[in-house]
Amino acid sequence: MLTFEQKLAVIESFPELTRKDVSMKRVNFHYEESLYDKKIVVYHLHPNGNGFVYVGNLPQYQADDKGFVNIRDFSETELRSIVADAVDYLSLEPEPPYDKTWTNRDNIKLDLVYEEPFWNIYTGKNLEESFGTFSDAEDYLIDQGFKEPK
């Protein structure tokens, strides 16, 4: 486990983050250029080593209901990676809306809809399948004989 000072050194190596000292010797780091209302990347980093990083709904992390991951036992590599992912998450434009009807040769129609964070396939109003990526949903539809609309 990294010490408080080691965690600070890793986090402070991200020049895009702004340090904000808060109560009880805890420290927050904000990403002021965030494209969203959310600006806190590191939340309540405490001298005892506890702290949280905001990852929203990134699928590679087990975040709490508010989108935070506890970094108490993170290595330097893990900490550097999660902070970089958090900054990327807050700096990327959201996926554009996707809602297209795919059709097979029998003229059966399925709707592929992006509903963050999932790609859902509907038969009418009924959910048929759900995927984590567009590629997986597309592969499924093609395997089932459907073609993407032009």
Side-chain angles (χ1 to χ4, degrees):
M1 179 174 88
L2 298 174
T3 66
F4 176 69
E5 290 76 19
Q6 290 169 320
K7 286 179 182 172
L8 275 178
V10 169
I11 297 163
E12 288 175 338
S13 73
F14 288 84
E16 61 268 57
L17 298 181
T18 304
R19 179 180 173 151
K20 307 270 184 176
D21 293 333
V22 292
S23 63
M24 300 188 317
K25 299 181 184 177
R26 295 176 298 187
V27 180
N28 290 348
F29 285 86
H30 293 220
Y31 178 52
E32 301 298 340
E33 301 300 316
S34 174
L35 297 178
Y36 305 91
D37 291 337
K38 185 61 137 176
K39 295 196 183 302
I40 293 177
V41 171
V42 178
Y43 179 69
H44 284 177
L45 181 62
H46 191 277
N48 70 8
N50 204 28
F52 302 89
V53 171
Y54 180 75
V55 295
N57 59 11
L58 289 173
Q60 65 267 39
Y61 297 104
Q62 294 294 323
D64 65 16
D65 292 343
K66 294 181 182 177
F68 286 96
V69 172
N70 189 304
I71 57 168
R72 180 178 185 87
D73 297 323
F74 273 40
S75 68
E76 179 179 346
T77 303
E78 291 169 323
L79 180 58
R80 193 170 300 285
S81 179
I82 196 171
V83 171
D85 288 345
V87 170
D88 286 348
Y89 181 75
L90 293 173
S91 63
L92 295 175
E93 291 287 337
E95 290 275 346
Y98 184 99
D99 184 352
K100 292 188 180 176
T101 301
W102 291 53
T103 308
N104 70 6
R105 67 178 63 172
D106 297 326
N107 207 29
I108 296 173
K109 298 178 187 299
L110 294 178
D111 296 316
L112 177 58
V113 181
Y114 179 69
E115 297 171 317
E116 190 177 347
F118 300 108
W119 291 88
N120 295 322
I121 297 174
Y122 290 94
T123 304
K125 293 185 179 187
N126 297 322
L127 180 64
E128 174 96 12
E129 292 285 341
S130 188
F131 298 92
T133 67
F134 174 79
S135 180
D136 289 344
E138 179 182 47
D139 289 346
Y140 171 83
L141 286 164
I142 291 169
D143 288 347
Q144 298 299 314
F146 287 83
K147 294 191 190 258
E148 183 172 13
K150 306 246 186 248

